[in-house]
Amino acid sequence: MTIEQLQRNIEKLIGDRRRPENTVHYGKTKRFEMANQQLKIPTVDINRIIQLTNRFIEAYRLDVYNGDNIVKTVNLDLAEFNKKTKELYKGITSEHDIIWMKFACNRVGVVACSNDINFDIPTTKDEYDEINFTKTGKKKGWKYNTSGILVHSVNLKWDDSFFLIFPLLGLPEGNEGKKQRHNIETGIGNYLILNDVPIIDYYSHRI
């Protein structure tokens, strides 16, 4: 698909937010089933994934980041990295203006946006529904995110030696920037799927 063809189809890619189920909790199974289906799809070279992602960003009419999209985690303080994305990637309007991907056994585990890069994963199935609580005892949320649960469910582990990052240069400020950031996340995930890239958390970008 050429850049021009992609531009003509970009609204369709952004608009596809279909999810059979929104959660992996409460006995829901559809996302677990899709994770298993993704294991049947051949892996795609990481350079091809980078190329496809940057092509989408170009088609969206943003400048493509000309630095290295692969971030090695050796000696990297991930919490500090998440705090300093705006300092590290000049040209992004908000510290949240990044797309990132992490991998498990050479497969994309999740396509995500914002500065919350992590490698959280449960160690047993019994931990899938564990809850975090505030100091006052109120429910704060699930302890483990969906992608970590799905990766564990297919007997894989995160490759925590690296992740991919794609700064979204020049997005508008405020709510419009946030809207476009999520649109790009959705579009990239769907474009990768269109190009036969397996994604274990298949629906993560469809928010």
Side-chain angles (χ1 to χ4, degrees), residues 14-190:
I14 287 171
D16 186 358
R17 299 173 187 263
R18 291 172 293 173
R19 285 187 180 192
E21 293 171 348
N22 288 326
T23 184
V24 292
H25 304 285
Y26 310 113
K28 302 296 185 181
T29 61
K30 297 293 186 184
R31 296 180 73 168
F32 290 104
E33 293 167 7
M34 182 56 82
N36 274 290
Q37 287 182 33
Q38 294 302 291
L39 297 186
K40 301 174 184 177
I41 301 172
T43 59
V44 175
D45 184 77
I46 191 170
N47 290 314
R48 173 64 172 162
I49 293 169
I50 292 171
Q51 179 189 48
L52 289 168
T53 303
N54 282 329
R55 183 180 295 170
F56 184 94
I57 291 171
E58 181 182 354
Y60 195 84
R61 294 184 169 87
L62 291 180
D63 289 336
V64 174
Y65 176 64
N66 62 7
D68 195 348
N69 298 110
I70 301 174
V71 178
K72 301 288 188 179
T73 58
V74 61
N75 299 322
L76 179 71
D77 185 326
L78 199 51
E80 284 299 307
F81 181 93
N82 282 327
K83 291 177 184 177
K84 295 180 177 180
T85 53
K86 195 173 178 180
E87 297 176 35
L88 295 168
Y89 298 101
K90 305 300 183 184
I92 63 174
T93 306
S94 164
E95 66 272 16
H96 305 298
D97 289 348
I98 57 171
I99 300 294
W100 58 275
M101 303 173 197
K102 54 185 174 178
F103 289 71
C105 197
N106 298 315
R107 297 174 184 276
V108 177
V110 67
V111 176
C113 72
S114 199
N115 57 332
D116 56 353
I117 302 164
N118 65 83
F119 294 100
D120 295 345
I121 191 168
T123 56
T124 69
K125 188 175 180 180
D126 293 337
E127 295 177 337
Y128 289 5
D129 292 325
E130 286 191 5
I131 297 170
N132 281 331
F133 293 92
T134 66
K135 292 180 180 180
T136 59
K138 292 183 179 180
K139 181 178 177 180
K140 188 177 180 180
W142 302 109
K143 182 175 181 179
Y144 294 102
N145 55 49
T146 298
S147 61
I149 290 171
L150 292 175
V151 165
H152 182 270
S153 76
V154 294
N155 298 312
L156 297 179
K157 295 180 179 180
W158 291 124
D159 181 347
D160 60 4
S161 67
F162 80 100
F163 56 88
L164 297 187
I165 193 164
F166 301 89
L168 302 177
L169 306 173
L171 287 183
E173 295 181 350
N175 288 334
E176 179 58 28
K178 180 180 179 180
K179 176 184 175 182
Q180 290 193 34
R181 180 171 68 243
H182 286 295
N183 283 347
I184 294 167
E185 174 190 7
T186 300
I188 286 172
N190 288 335

